[in-house]
Amino acid sequence: MKTAICPGSFDPPTNGHLNIIERALKIFDRLIVAVAVNTAKQPIFTGEERVDLLQEIFDGQPKIQVDRFEGLLVDYAKGRGVTTILRGIRNMSDYEYEFQMALANKAMHPELETIFMMTEGRYSHLSSTIIKDVIQYGGKASEMIHPIVEAALKKKLR
Ligand code: PNS
């Protein structure tokens, strides 16, 4: 069974994330969507809240498992017995950051392979940061985030 871990902050999950996950199901039999800590970011949702949001969104989809971890991604992958990481890429600045992370992870865990999937053009402008601003200042975000995420963000930010 081909399994990949799709790690991220998911603070909050965007339609760009959801699109990558859904398209990846054509390649992998099972995806572990893993909420992680990015030390460079100050989250607005707790890890538990992000897991709850993703679980609600993927409810009834047995090929997707939502989980959470702290510490290094390589250690989490070893613990889960998975050697494939899936990450989405929107643009060249994502690429540079992703390239560096993939190489660092590979140096720590040589059996680990990182697979990149390009975003669909209609999602390339989306970022969790932009979405937080749109919601906070009353903009229309229905094409950017799932209704479950929109409701949770409104409750948190307004
Ligand atoms: O959605 P993000 O914030 O771009 O995801 C980045 C994330 C969480 C995947 C990355 O920061 C990560 O893997 N964090 C876990 C700690 C770790 O392994 N850091 C070293 C990465 S080389």
Side-chain angles (χ1 to χ4, degrees), residues 6-11 17 34-41 69-75 85 87 90 94 97-98 100-106 108 128:
C6 184
S9 310
F10 302 108
D11 187 55
H17 292 126
V35 173
V37 177
N38 181 340
T39 48
K41 293 179 180 169
F69 71 93
E70 278 173 27
L72 288 175
L73 173 59
V74 289
D75 292 334
I85 301 298
R87 292 279 291 169
R90 291 166 299 186
D94 273 0
Y97 166 61
E98 294 298 332
Q100 209 178 1
M101 272 206 303
L103 290 186
N105 284 333
K106 186 92 179 150
M108 292 187 277
S128 299

